[in-house]
Amino acid sequence: MSEKRNVVVGVSGGIAAYKACHLVREFTEAGDNVRVVPTESALNFVGAATFEALSGNPVDTGVFTKVDEVQHVRVGQEADLIVIAPATADVIARIAAGRADDLLTATVLVATCPIVIAPAMHTEMWLNPATQANVDTLRDRGIVVLEPAHGRLTGKDSGPGRLPEPSQIAAMARTVMDHGTFDRSLFGKNVVISAGGTQENIDPVRFIGNRSSGRQGFALADIAVNRGANVTIIAGDTDDLLSPPGATVVKVRSARQMYQAVHDAAVDADIVIMAAAVADYRPEEEAGHKLKKGHADEQLATITLVENPDILKGLVEKRNSGETSATIVGFAAETDNPLEYGKAKLARKGADMLMVNSVQGGKVFGEERNSGWLLSADGGVEEIADGTKHVVAAEIWDAIESFER
Ligand code: C5P
């Protein structure tokens, strides 16, 4: 993954153009060769000098510069990835119409590499049937149009239309570059994903917890959202992660709260993925005050534990009794014999699929990369090669989708 790749960052004329500076950094810092191609109106927001300094490459907007080098064709031919962020309603319309009246649209028209577009505009423009039809056209042609984030827009209004954060756009764009393009294969599906670790209180200041950054679960949610699913994340304790655009995030703390939230959401779910690290046991009693060291409060030295309900197993029971029809996917983090223990766990839990990763020596926790094996109830074993957690998530989704068919 170390070879230098040619990434074209297209920037069109919306206020979110300033975020493109951070996006350029995401790629240059990963070692890619970045060529920024702004539209003429993007330069009203960010100057060409800024993009030239950040990318280390010249910046042009029109098709009549460097004509001797046939630049309007060459940039697109040499690209390994084109990512346009922000993409305005106007540039989306021009690309949908097949126009080539500036360097960016000409580059898109020439390119055969993956193209990722991150729209940003006011909600009314985004929801306008003209824009939606143009977006459908681009998606039908294999271009990945990312879901816009919901939230505060430039004025006082808020709604769908915000540009996702540069790190989110970069993660999706890299996944498309490394794993290949994807379509709206999860459109209309209700997906529930648990992520992070649960925390079981001992007293008001202490708890028993499981290590988990929540990154793999959030990456699964990111991919699902952009494949068109309605996604609910049930999040325990996680690193400070950005929510995928449009996903509903339900925060919980203990295993029992997670049980309730997952089981409530599972009723209407098509797919449930338990990526959370759930504490198997909790203190039998939670003290109402801070327990004192060396005090008569012996509870601190000896904590009696009771077993938590198994959320995954409970889901399988519900599915078997017809209360949900969801496909159920579990995770297993193992320090020894991951494949052997994984197979036994899949059989014991009765899930449809299980992603096993080896966490020997703390590997995987909080890291950007993952690997392992994806087991299915019919005996299938698929090795998942080392990759970013987003690429691993894309592979898991491919497998779930073919399992469902
Ligand atoms: O048994 P173990 O904790 O290793 O199983 C891991 C899988 O089971 C994960 O998918 C995890 O989210 C799920 N799990 C659960 N409820 C528990 C413990 C684990 O759903 N109480």
Side-chain angles (χ1 to χ4, degrees):
M1 218 115 311
S2 55
E3 93 253 37
K4 227 176 161 92
R5 290 178 294 189
N6 292 323
V7 176
V8 171
V9 175
V11 186
S12 56
I15 176 63
Y18 74 94
K19 289 192 184 175
C21 299
H22 293 279
L23 183 61
V24 172
R25 290 293 289 267
E26 292 272 346
F27 290 110
T28 54
E29 277 170 20
D32 295 315
N33 178 40
V34 180
R35 177 78 202 243
V36 183
V37 183
T39 60
E40 203 45 50
S41 38
L43 297 183
N44 288 312
F45 296 97
V46 181
T50 303
F51 289 135
E52 288 189 343
L54 288 174
S55 67
N57 277 314
V59 166
D60 292 303
T61 58
V63 289
F64 295 110
T65 41
K66 302 198 182 82
V67 177
D68 56 326
E69 296 171 20
V70 208
Q71 179 171 246
H72 71 291
V73 173
R74 199 173 43 81
V75 176
Q77 281 172 335
E78 291 176 356
D80 295 306
L81 169 77
I82 298 177
V83 47
I84 305 178
T88 57
D90 183 67
V91 87
I92 288 171
R94 287 193 294 129
I95 295 170
R99 308 239 355 207
D101 49 357
D102 61 5
L103 185 57
L104 179 55
T105 48
T107 299
V108 168
L109 211 51
V110 167
T112 53
C113 66
I115 301 174
V116 176
I117 288 184
M121 63 198 75
H122 274 83
T123 303
E124 295 85 341
M125 284 192 185
W126 171 247
L127 295 178
N128 188 291
T131 305
Q132 289 297 310
N134 289 332
V135 167
D136 288 346
T137 300
L138 299 189
R139 284 176 170 158
D140 287 346
R141 289 184 196 147
I143 292 179
V144 175
V145 180
L146 301 181
E147 281 300 312
H150 296 223
R152 183 78 192 271
L153 303 166
T154 322
K156 288 201 186 104
D157 40 355
S158 88
R162 258 175 79 88
L163 190 71
E165 292 309 311
S167 60
Q168 293 177 299
I169 299 169
M172 290 308 298
R174 302 204 139 273
T175 307
V176 170
M177 190 156 56
D178 294 340
H179 179 74
T181 180
F182 50 78
D183 57 21
R184 309 282 285 172
S185 49
L186 289 170
F187 184 77
K189 297 269 186 191
N190 293 329
V191 166
V192 177
I193 300 170
S194 71
T198 63
Q199 296 185 343
E200 313 295 329
N201 290 344
I202 297 169
D203 66 19
V205 299
R206 301 183 181 90
F207 61 85
I208 299 173
N210 280 37
R211 284 182 73 182
S212 172
S213 66
R215 279 175 201 281
Q216 188 62 70
F218 273 63
L220 283 159
D222 256 341
I223 302 287
V225 159
N226 285 298
R227 289 187 184 189
N230 311 312
V231 177
T232 304
I233 302 175
I234 313 295
D237 179 53
T238 66
D239 284 2
D240 195 10
L241 302 173
L242 293 165
S243 300
T248 303
V249 181
V250 180
K251 286 289 291 174
V252 295
R253 189 170 150 80
S254 68
R256 284 181 296 173
Q257 287 170 353
M258 184 171 276
Y259 184 101
Q260 199 56 50
V262 169
H263 277 246
D264 287 350
V267 176
D268 299 320
D270 296 296
I271 301 153
V272 182
I273 306 180
M274 280 298 302
V278 186
D280 294 314
Y281 293 91
R282 66 176 183 277
E284 186 174 34
E285 276 174 51
E286 179 183 340
H289 60 282
K290 185 181 173 189
L291 300 174
K292 296 285 181 218
K293 190 163 61 171
H295 203 257
D297 277 326
E298 274 306 312
Q299 294 124 291
L300 193 55
T302 310
I303 299 167
T304 306
L305 300 177
V306 291
E307 201 167 346
N308 271 327
D310 191 313
I311 306 169
L312 189 61
K313 230 168 154 181
L315 282 173
V316 171
E317 282 160 15
K318 283 213 164 116
R319 210 253 319 268
N320 293 346
S321 66
E323 287 173 71
T324 172
S325 54
T327 297
I328 299 168
V329 183
F331 265 68
E334 299 290 348
T335 53
D336 313 287
N337 305 326
L339 202 46
E340 189 191 322
Y341 285 160
K343 283 179 182 168
K345 187 168 290 178
L346 176 62
R348 200 168 60 242
K349 302 244 183 190
D352 297 306
M353 302 182 92
L354 190 87
M355 170 72 192
V356 196
N357 25 57
S358 167
V359 292
Q360 212 159 21
K363 195 176 133 238
V364 176
F365 293 124
E367 286 176 12
E368 298 292 338
R369 302 178 79 81
N370 199 2
S371 61
W373 296 268
L374 194 54
L375 315 178
S376 36
D378 59 8
V381 179
E382 188 187 336
E383 187 164 1
I384 306 286
D386 174 77
T388 65
K389 285 184 174 170
H390 276 81
V391 169
V392 168
E395 286 182 25
I396 293 173
W397 274 118
D398 289 349
I400 295 172
E401 288 174 41
S402 55
F403 181 89
E404 281 216 303
R405 276 195 288 272

